[in-house]
Every structure is written in C-alpha cells, then in structure tokens.
Amino acid sequence: MRTEGQIEVEGKQLKVSNLDKVLYPKAGFTKAAVIDYFIRIAPVLLPHIKNRALTLKRYPNGVDGPFFYEKRCPPHRPAWVKTAAIWSASNEANIDFCLANDVPTLVWAANLADLELHTSLAGSRTPLKPHFVVFDLDPGPPATIVECCRVGLWLRDAFAAMGLECYPKTSGSKGLQLYLPLHTATTFVKTKAFAHTIAQRIEREHPDLVLSRMAKNLRAGKVFVDWSQNDDHKTTVCVYSLRAKERPTVSTPLRWEEVEHCWKKKDPALLVFESEAVLARVKKFGDLFAPVLEEKQKLPVLSD
C-alpha cells in the first residue's frame, strides 16, 4: 500500500495519507495496518454497524496522543458516505451522523484515525427503539476481566431462568460486555429500567463483588454493572472494533465456554485478542455475535 494518494475500494475513489504513521507505538501498528484490519474484518463487522449512528473516536497522533469524539459527520466527507439526521436533545437540533454501511466508508474513517467504532443500540431509522439491552461489566482494580466473567455467568444464568439468551464479548479494554438481543417493540426507558433492576438484583445477591451504583470510590475490587448505556444519546463500542490501547486489541465476541474457562483459570490474558487473532477466530468460528442481529426476545416485566 502506498504512503499516500488515491486508492480505489469497491469502485469508490478516496484519498489516503500518512499510511506509514505508527498509531500503536508499542506494537508498531501503522495506519495502513488499521485500514487493512478493517477491510479484512468487514464481512462480519458491517452487519453489526450498518444503519447505526456512528460516533467517531479519532486519534490523529496515535493512541499515546490526544483524541476526540466526533458525532457530527465531518463536512469534508466523500459524497458517497451516507448519513442519518437524528435529533439531539442537548443540541436542540438534528445531527447528521455517519453511517458506516460499506467497506469504502470504513477505510475513509480509518484514514481519519478513527480507531474505535462507537454505535447506537438502535437503528438510524428508529433511533428511539433499541434492538438490544447491554450490560457493560467494568472491573475496579485489583479486579480484572476474570471477576467480570464470574459476574457475566451469574447474569447469563439469571437470564436463562427468564427464558432469555445473552451473548458475551470483550470490551477490548479491561472488561466484558453482555448483549441481550430483543428486536421486538420496546423503548430505551424500558430497557434502561430493566438493566438497572437486573444490576441491582445481582448486587443484592453478590454484594462483595458486584456494584450497581456509579460511585467510583466504591469500585475497588468490584465489578460495576453499568446499566446506564441503555440510552438513546449514548453509544457502545461495536463488536470487532479496535480499541485505543497499547496494542491493537479488539472488542471480541466470545463463546460461553471461554468465559467459564477464564473464570476457572483466573487468567485475564486468556481473553485478550489483537487484530490478527480476531481474524483467525472469525475464520475458525464465523461470527459468534451473529445471533445478536436476529434473535427475537421479549423484554420481561420485572417486579422490582
């Protein structure tokens, strides 16, 4: 790949620059490598990001430099980059969000050093109707993803008792995320209340390890079950997205057997996956997160 110039991706022409810039210094991972990863992962990534409002998280000088979020799709975008006008209560106006619906758009975003892909839990056509409930399990040191696995298994079992399936993925950072697919009529008010109630229940049952309150001074050694992401104005890192850590780790879908194994072995390294490992996993397992896109489940009505 050239250092800069015009390239053609699926019939679209786009300008790229600084392809040899190292964005992950400790790994020697360049912008060209970021673009290459997104192109190769696109077959499984695109279904999860298509027609969802995308918030760019850009690292123009790499992961060790400053970053910024960009909700409004940059005005200098190519004409073929699709957008969706979505109402923003805080701005009291519509915001034109980018839609990463194809490989050329992924490459364009990667060229802007958009390392992380953060998307809405709802589709752009119905932005107030979430497709999933998400639980973000965030460990407070010295707790790690190992303790998140323990909490994730409790949550899995709680949902199973309700006749529901949920699906785990790493955050690509230090925690674990569970997706409960719905694809049935609901609202963010209902999903957020449901998530909050579940988090409180798990905290009551396991107070030594679980926290549902947002007070950071209480998080040491515990797993915060973040229910607050279930909101129309918030986003969650998309499955298969890179993360801006020391190395190019990825938010990676998991099998429950892997979650159980990590908890049993007490080894957080078992659930750290970089870009090449994720590509190999997709070749071996396919898209482990595919059911999240299709499975229809009704949100239960909880008594507390």
Side-chain angles (χ1 to χ4, degrees):
M1 189 178 286
R2 293 169 292 180
T3 300
E4 58 185 297
Q6 292 278 342
I7 63 172
E8 181 175 322
V9 181
E10 295 187 348
K12 302 289 197 307
Q13 296 290 328
L14 65 148
K15 184 179 180 180
V16 292
S17 60
N18 301 317
L19 295 178
D20 57 352
K21 177 180 274 190
V22 177
L23 298 181
Y24 292 81
K26 287 187 170 58
F29 204 73
T30 63
K31 184 193 282 190
V34 170
I35 291 173
D36 178 68
Y37 169 72
F38 280 129
I39 290 173
R40 294 165 66 194
I41 202 66
V44 291
L45 167 61
L46 285 174
H48 294 280
I49 203 170
K50 187 176 182 180
N51 290 327
R52 296 189 187 279
L54 174 66
T55 296
L56 309 181
K57 190 176 182 183
R58 296 173 58 182
Y59 290 78
N61 295 305
V63 298
D64 292 338
F67 66 88
F68 62 96
Y69 289 94
E70 196 165 16
K71 289 192 172 185
R72 196 178 302 276
C73 201
H76 54 77
R77 63 185 180 269
W80 40 261
V81 172
K82 296 184 182 300
T83 61
I86 297 177
W87 178 257
S88 167
S90 60
N91 290 275
E92 297 185 339
N94 282 335
I95 289 180
D96 287 329
F97 284 85
C98 298
L99 298 178
N101 287 356
D102 52 31
V103 179
T105 304
L106 286 178
V107 174
W108 168 75
N111 185 61
L112 296 178
D114 176 31
L115 302 182
E116 298 189 358
L117 306 171
H118 291 256
T119 51
S120 172
L121 299 178
S124 60
R125 295 186 182 95
T126 54
L128 299 180
K129 297 180 179 179
H131 295 154
F132 340 98
V133 184
V134 171
F135 296 84
D136 189 3
L137 310 185
D138 184 16
T144 68
I145 198 171
V146 169
E147 285 72 27
C148 292
C149 288
R150 172 67 278 184
V151 177
L153 292 167
W154 284 330
L155 285 167
R156 178 198 64 179
D157 294 344
F159 294 138
M162 301 176 198
L164 300 172
E165 293 279 350
C166 63
Y167 298 85
K169 71 180 180 77
T170 70
S171 68
S173 179
K174 58 183 179 178
L176 193 71
Q177 296 172 337
L178 302 188
Y179 275 52
L180 186 71
L182 297 175
H183 300 290
T184 51
T186 191
T187 65
F188 277 106
V189 171
K190 292 179 180 178
T191 58
K192 190 173 185 179
F194 172 83
H196 193 186
T197 298
I198 292 294
Q200 290 174 319
R201 281 187 181 181
I202 295 295
E203 180 183 32
R204 286 198 301 269
E205 293 169 3
H206 307 282
D208 292 340
L209 185 57
V210 179
L211 184 70
S212 69
R213 292 159 288 169
M214 295 187 184
K216 291 188 177 180
N217 63 310
L218 301 177
R219 293 192 191 181
K222 294 191 175 185
V223 174
F224 173 47
V225 179
D226 190 352
W227 47 270
S228 68
Q229 295 299 104
N230 297 282
D231 211 318
D232 66 286
H233 69 275
K234 292 191 176 183
T235 60
T236 305
V237 67
C238 188
V239 67
Y240 299 115
S241 173
L242 290 167
R243 299 307 305 268
K245 299 301 172 183
E246 286 188 355
R247 302 189 65 83
T249 54
V250 173
S251 181
T252 307
L254 302 170
R255 295 169 296 141
W256 279 112
E257 295 93 326
E258 293 175 297
V259 177
E260 293 167 348
H261 185 63
C262 181
W263 167 243
K264 180 180 179 181
K265 294 296 184 181
K266 306 293 190 290
D267 183 1
L270 290 171
L271 297 184
V272 177
F273 304 100
E274 295 185 21
S275 56
E276 285 298 326
V278 171
L279 289 163
R281 285 171 62 84
V282 169
K283 186 175 181 179
K284 181 177 181 180
F285 300 122
D287 180 12
L288 291 173
F289 232 50
V292 171
L293 295 173
E294 302 291 342
E295 189 162 348
K296 291 186 178 181
Q297 303 183 117
K298 188 175 181 180
L299 189 72
V301 177
L302 301 178
S303 59
D304 59 343

